[in-house]
Amino acid sequence: QVQLVESGGGLVQPGGSLRLSCAASGSALSIYVLGWYRQGPGKQRELAAVITKGVSGNDADSVKGRFTISRDNTKNTVCLQRNSLKNEDTAVYYCNAMRGLPVLDYWGQGTQVTVSS
């Protein structure tokens, strides 16, 4: 079983930067597709970014260009970055690890990001 722990959340001024980190234990992340999701107040959870392999990845289509995702398999971490934050970026951000055959899906506890002046 994979344990995922997010960190880096908190209060950020509009226009500031988001830098979140997810540390994993229990299994090597190299065999998983990794992603960051978020759920804003009164909204459904949405995919922010996903990475399949390598050390960098792309945003989800719905928010393409807003986030940068990266992974370090040797350190068992995945990070999410975004500059120029807006109020609508306020959400709980979740780290996710997923694989198929067999299908496994693990989630972190989430970290709160609040963008406010």
Side-chain angles (χ1 to χ4, degrees), residues 99-104:
R99 63 171 289 180
L101 300 176
V103 176
L104 297 173

Side-chain angles (χ1 to χ4, degrees), residues 14-97:
S17 298
L18 177 150
R19 288 180 173 269
L20 304 179
S21 179
C22 176
S25 62
S27 183
L29 289 183
S30 59
I31 65 175
Y32 292 91
V33 174
L34 304 177
W36 282 92
Y37 292 74
R38 70 178 185 180
Q39 185 168 12
K43 300 180 179 179
Q44 295 184 343
R45 185 171 57 187
E46 64 179 352
L47 177 66
V50 64
I51 182 169
T52 57
K53 61 181 181 181
V55 297
S56 63
N58 299 317
D59 298 346
D61 290 341
S62 62
V63 290
K64 187 177 178 62
R66 297 202 61 196
F67 297 96
T68 299
I69 186 171
S70 61
R71 65 190 296 169
D72 187 336
N73 291 334
T74 63
K75 297 181 179 180
N76 251 16
T77 58
V78 57
C79 296
L80 183 72
Q81 302 180 46
R82 171 63 181 174
N83 296 326
S84 302
L85 291 175
K86 304 175 182 178
N87 290 339
E88 52 263 39
D89 293 315
T90 294
V92 178
Y93 286 75
Y94 298 91
C95 178
N96 169 257

